[in-house]
């Protein structure tokens, strides 16, 4: 049975318009390999990221390089190869355990060992202190930092300083964060060596499968572009490790349509987050700091303790609300990474895994659905066993 409130429900552009785009693609006989839709899309993405960040007097999009990719996982792979090259299995890359499995998977594919670091107890963002501990013990080649839930870390500048002092690149997994802002109002995309975004159907900016690597460094952009095209240089000689990770024209076309709708998408998603927060914070729930300036991939909520989290989650699921608990299991508890090193006890990671709830957020969520989620949680916390009366 399909849930009453699904976890994710992307709003796609009008299928007729996508049909028109497909017609143009067929007419031009250009389906992939950096065609006109892809070039327009990467330019517009750069304008968007730089849109509220350009220093006075500079052109919008100045010095911003965008390379589209088939998905963010391959984008992360390309970013590591572009910044530190392929490893021989002896060196390490630091990565938070409180993230999606793609991060540590990619580290291993690139020939490095993942070393898991902890998160900050309060913000759930990767902990610089934990990374510093790991740096003393391991031969670290790079940092695969993650903006947790696509929320821009308030301390991103500390991470940049830490990476510079350590002399290693800071590759940023901002997969869920296209459209999010850092605390200073700049959009995500311009920090570290590069930031990697996902445009998967489950993310706020959804085109199906797709992503982008955004950087200020033209050398990183060139290497990513080469990586995703078999390691080819301009003469089509393979000169570095490569794969096929290019974005198709049709996905770029969908992306252009989504970009035109994106202001409305963000406004609607942030309104849901704020409705959740104002109704549920008085009941002792806490929302991840910075959620309101993010693109809100879901309602990232923290319960006071494990018992109430489990009660809330069970009640939601039993009532047909497809809530989740991201990221549980945390990465270091996946069997594939059981043998990986850990910087420390990862205490805050364990605590977060025990207390998080991920609430559904849709780009155009019915008020009734928001009210139903709030009501269900309220009753779960009351301990009331009275069946929830459907709002509609
Ligand atoms: C979604 C996600 C990815 C993977 O993105 P794909 O485009 O599906 O490959 C990687 N990291 C994080 C943190 C994510 O949320």
């Amino acid at each position: 049975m399909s849930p009453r409130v699904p976890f994710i429900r992307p709003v796609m552009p009008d299928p007729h318009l996508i049909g028109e785009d497909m017609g143009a693609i067929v007419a031009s006989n250009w389906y992939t390999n950096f065609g006109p839709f892809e070039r327009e899309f990467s330019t517009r993405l750069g304008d968007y990221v730089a849109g509220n960040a350009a220093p006075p007097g500079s052109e919008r999009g100045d010095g911003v390089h965008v390379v589209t990719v088939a998905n963010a996982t391959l984008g992360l792979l390309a970013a590591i190869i572009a910044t530190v090259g392929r490893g021989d299995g002896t060196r390490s890359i630091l990565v938070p355990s409180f993230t999606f499995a793609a991060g540590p998977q990619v580290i291993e594919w690139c020939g490095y060992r993942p070393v898991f670091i902890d998160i900050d107890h309060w913000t759930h963002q990767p902990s610089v202190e934990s990374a510093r501990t790991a740096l003393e013990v391991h031969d670290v080649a790079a940092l695969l930092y993650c903006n947790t839930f696509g929320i821009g870390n308030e301390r991103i500048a500390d991470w940049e300083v830490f990476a510079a002092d350590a002399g290693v690149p800071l590759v940023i997994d901002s997969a869920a964060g296209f459209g999010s802002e850092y605390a200073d109002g700049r959009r995500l995309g311009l920090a570290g060596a590069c930031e990697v975004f996902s445009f998967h159907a489950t993310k706020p900016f959804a085109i199906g499968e797709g992503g982008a690597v955004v950087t200020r460094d033209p050398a990183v952009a060139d290497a990513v572009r080469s990586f995703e095209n078999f390691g080819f240089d301009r003469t089509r000689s393979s000169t570095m490790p490569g794969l096929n990770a290019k974005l198709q024209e049709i996905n770029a076309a969908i992306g252009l349509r989504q970009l035109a709708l994106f202001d409305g998408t963000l406004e609607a998603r942030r309104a849901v987050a704020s409705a959740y927060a104002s109704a549920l914070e008085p009941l002792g729930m806490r929302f991840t700091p910075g959620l309101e300036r993010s693109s809100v991939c879901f309602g990232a909520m923290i319960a006071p303790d494990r018992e109430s989290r489990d009660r809330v989650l069970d009640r939601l699921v039993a009532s047909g609300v497809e809530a989740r608990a991201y990221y549980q299991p945390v990465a270091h508890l996946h069997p594939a990474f059981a043998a990986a090193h850990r910087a420390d006890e990862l205490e805050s990671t364990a605590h977060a895994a025990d207390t998080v709830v991920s609430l559904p957020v849709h780009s155009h969520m019915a008020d009734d659905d928001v009210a139903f989620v709030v009501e269900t949680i309220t009753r779960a916390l009351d301990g009331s066993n009275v069946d929830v009366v459907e709002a509609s």
Side-chain angles (χ1 to χ4, degrees):
M1 211 182 74
S2 61
R4 178 193 155 133
V5 184
F7 188 56
I8 276 155
R9 184 185 276 150
V11 172
M12 281 291 162
D14 180 347
H16 294 101
L17 297 176
I18 300 174
E20 281 176 23
D21 294 338
M22 193 65 208
I25 291 167
V26 172
S28 72
N29 193 32
W30 196 340
Y31 297 91
T32 184
N33 286 29
F34 315 110
F37 280 102
E38 191 284 331
R39 278 180 286 169
E40 175 74 5
F41 184 42
S42 49
T43 303
R44 294 273 156 270
L45 289 172
D47 290 347
Y48 183 82
V49 165
N52 62 352
S58 70
E59 288 287 306
R60 273 163 66 100
D62 245 11
V64 178
H65 304 270
V66 175
V67 186
T68 62
V69 287
N71 58 64
T73 304
L74 287 166
L76 289 167
L77 222 154
I80 291 173
I81 299 294
T83 51
V84 282
R86 195 157 48 187
D88 63 3
T90 61
R91 306 189 71 200
S92 299
I93 294 184
L94 307 186
V95 64
S97 174
F98 197 67
T99 188
F100 188 58
Q105 287 284 12
V106 157
I107 290 171
E108 293 195 341
W109 276 109
C110 288
Y112 296 92
R113 300 173 174 186
V115 172
F116 290 112
I117 61 168
D118 205 2
I119 47 173
D120 176 81
H121 184 80
W122 190 248
T123 63
H124 289 184
Q125 299 285 0
S127 156
V128 194
E129 292 70 26
S130 182
R132 198 166 282 132
T133 311
L135 194 65
E136 284 167 15
V137 181
H138 299 280
D139 178 15
V140 173
L143 310 171
L144 183 49
Y145 166 91
C146 181
N147 272 319
T148 303
F149 307 142
I151 297 171
N153 187 352
E154 286 176 23
R155 294 185 63 191
I156 194 66
D158 293 348
W159 273 93
E160 289 178 316
V161 169
F162 172 71
D165 288 350
V168 298
L170 180 67
V171 172
I172 303 184
D173 179 349
S174 293
F178 188 76
S180 297
E181 290 169 12
Y182 285 112
D184 65 2
R186 287 179 312 147
R187 290 201 176 112
L188 269 60
L190 302 178
C194 58
E195 295 196 43
V196 181
F197 296 104
S198 171
F199 305 149
H200 190 261
T202 52
K203 311 291 176 176
F205 187 83
I207 69 172
E209 290 274 10
V213 180
V214 181
T215 177
R216 288 184 179 281
D217 183 343
V220 170
D222 281 349
V224 169
R225 205 174 287 110
S226 177
F227 171 90
E228 72 170 331
N229 198 25
F230 312 101
F232 284 163
D233 67 7
R234 288 180 210 285
T235 65
R236 289 180 72 79
S237 312
S238 224
T239 55
M240 60 173 281
L243 282 176
N244 179 4
K246 300 182 298 285
L247 187 75
Q248 300 193 74
E249 286 291 277
I250 187 62
N251 290 105
I254 296 170
L256 283 166
R257 302 271 180 202
Q258 286 295 48
L259 209 47
L261 304 172
F262 198 44
D263 286 349
T265 303
L266 285 183
E267 197 180 324
R269 300 184 76 87
R270 287 172 181 161
V272 173
S274 112
Y276 278 153
S278 56
L280 297 171
E281 283 185 340
L283 306 179
M285 298 290 130
R286 187 166 73 76
F287 283 79
T288 310
L291 185 66
E292 68 290 345
R293 55 180 162 75
S294 80
S295 47
V296 193
C297 62
F298 42 70
M301 184 174 86
I302 303 142
D305 51 51
R306 181 174 188 155
E307 192 274 326
S308 55
R309 190 282 299 274
D310 290 349
R311 199 143 38 93
V312 164
L313 201 54
D314 290 350
R315 186 62 172 257
L316 285 168
V317 171
S319 310
V321 176
E322 202 183 6
R324 304 260 169 93
Y326 282 119
Y327 294 101
Q328 197 208 36
V330 290
H332 75 273
L333 296 180
H334 285 279
F337 306 116
H341 288 285
R342 304 167 193 178
D344 49 46
E345 299 300 316
L346 307 182
E347 263 177 48
S348 297
T349 300
H351 183 258
D354 281 348
T355 52
V356 284
V357 185
S358 321
L359 299 177
V361 171
H362 309 162
S363 295
H364 294 285
M365 195 160 172
D367 290 346
D368 271 3
D369 285 346
V370 177
F372 184 69
V373 172
V374 166
E375 168 117 345
T376 306
I377 294 170
T378 308
R379 286 174 185 267
L381 292 170
D382 277 355
S384 145
N385 283 321
V386 180
D387 274 340
V388 177
V389 181
E390 299 224 350
S392 54

